[in-house]
Amino acid sequence: EPEVTQTPSHQVTQMGQEVILRCVPISNHLYFYWYRQILGQKVEFLVSFYNNEISEKSEIFDDQFSVERPDGSNFTLKIRSTKLEDSAMYFCASRAGGDLSYNEQFFGPGTRLTVL
Amino acid sequence: AQSVTQLGSHVSVSEGALVLLRCNYSSSVPPYLFWYVQYPNQGLQLLLKYTTGATLVKGINGFEAEFKKSETSFHLTKPSAHMSDAAEYFCAVSDRNSGYSTLTFGKGTMLLVSP
């Protein structure tokens, strides 16, 4: 069964460093998402991506964040200069397309980012 | 703006007992409603969803949920808990008018099942 994969499963970095979190969405999907969950808090939407551009983003998704689909298969989230408060589990999701009532979002297992 | 409230960060039941996980939403228009489950070290898996039609929806693993507009609720139930149901459960909503279908999640409820 097709699935969304994410690498690495756990990333440890120093404050101020750049990190890139990688996702491989399901191959025929058209919509891509990043969410994050700070420990003990709710899963929060970061950004959605469609047709090679950002379609929606939350207030969390500031200039420190960027997304890219560099090669038609990977979908990456870059944090330019990490802060302690960026420590969280980051989930990638993808959706086939059309109305959400017919197409669910499929989630990856997440990348746990720890900023020291 | 939409919001989702899940009552109880942890719910403990005995194997064979009824499972009830509560979810209430706040939205000016009834949204699409979802329950996701997360097993340890795995991604979020869709259990069930309500979009339109019958308000009692059945999902995988014997779970079901009922949309009650008057109560703005979408509680998740299972008649008889199994040890394998131990996981974290997330209620989520999506704006019917949103073209990109962003999900808004609750904080999650950890279901603990004892023998």
Side-chain angles (χ1 to χ4, degrees), chain B residues 10-84:
Chain B
H10 292 80
V11 169
S12 295
V13 299
S14 299
E15 193 171 21
L18 171 72
V19 175
L20 171 61
L21 304 183
R22 298 178 188 274
C23 173
N24 288 87
Y25 67 89
S26 173
S27 176
S28 56
V29 175
Y32 295 133
L33 296 152
F34 306 84
W35 275 99
Y36 281 84
V37 61
Q38 185 180 30
Y39 299 102
N41 301 315
Q42 295 187 29
L44 298 165
Q45 180 184 8
L46 183 68
L47 269 180
L48 48 78
K49 63 184 179 186
Y50 171 76
T51 56
T52 188
T55 56
L56 181 64
V57 293
K58 295 185 186 300
I60 61 172
N61 301 338
F63 283 93
E64 60 184 38
E66 185 170 13
F67 167 57
K68 292 187 177 180
K69 184 178 176 180
S70 61
E71 298 178 9
T72 61
S73 69
F74 191 56
H75 301 331
L76 182 71
T77 60
K78 181 173 180 178
S80 177
H82 193 274
M83 296 294 290
S84 60

Side-chain angles (χ1 to χ4, degrees), chain A residues 31 33 35 37 40-43 45 48 55-56 91 95 99-102 104-105 107-109, chain B residues 4 32 34 36 38 41-44 46 49 51 90 94 98-103 105-107:
Chain A
Y31 294 80
Y33 306 82
Y35 294 83
Q37 184 181 31
Q41 299 185 26
K42 59 180 65 179
V43 177
F45 167 71
S48 61
S55 47
E56 280 184 324
F91 293 105
R95 180 168 73 87
D99 190 284
L100 185 62
S101 62
Y102 301 103
E104 69 178 90
Q105 291 185 30
F107 283 79
Chain B
V4 180
Y32 295 133
F34 306 84
Y36 281 84
Q38 185 180 30
N41 301 315
Q42 295 187 29
L44 298 165
L46 183 68
K49 63 184 179 186
T51 56
F90 295 91
S94 178
S98 166
Y100 301 106
S101 308
T102 301
L103 293 171
F105 285 87
K107 289 186 72 171

Side-chain angles (χ1 to χ4, degrees), chain A residues 2-98:
Chain A
E3 59 182 13
V4 177
T5 59
Q6 290 185 243
T7 54
S9 57
H10 192 188
Q11 173 91 47
V12 181
T13 189
Q14 296 291 324
M15 190 169 54
Q17 294 296 303
E18 175 184 286
V19 294
I20 298 176
L21 309 183
R22 300 179 193 283
C23 168
V24 179
I26 295 172
S27 63
N28 62 341
H29 283 190
L30 302 177
Y31 294 80
F32 313 109
Y33 306 82
W34 283 101
Y35 294 83
R36 79 171 186 191
Q37 184 181 31
I38 295 171
L39 191 64
Q41 299 185 26
K42 59 180 65 179
V43 177
E44 301 171 292
F45 167 71
L46 292 178
V47 65
S48 61
F49 192 85
Y50 171 71
N51 199 26
N52 284 318
E53 61 183 22
I54 290 173
S55 47
E56 280 184 324
K57 61 182 181 179
S58 71
E59 293 175 352
I60 303 167
F61 195 87
D62 62 22
D63 292 343
Q64 292 298 315
F65 291 89
S66 62
V67 289
E68 194 178 32
R69 190 157 160 79
D71 56 12
S73 61
N74 289 282
F75 178 51
T76 62
L77 174 69
K78 182 194 291 188
I79 309 174
R80 267 180 266 283
S81 178
T82 51
K83 303 189 273 284
L84 294 176
E85 55 264 37
D86 294 328
S87 295
M89 180 73 89
Y90 288 80
F91 293 105
C92 173
S94 69
R95 180 168 73 87

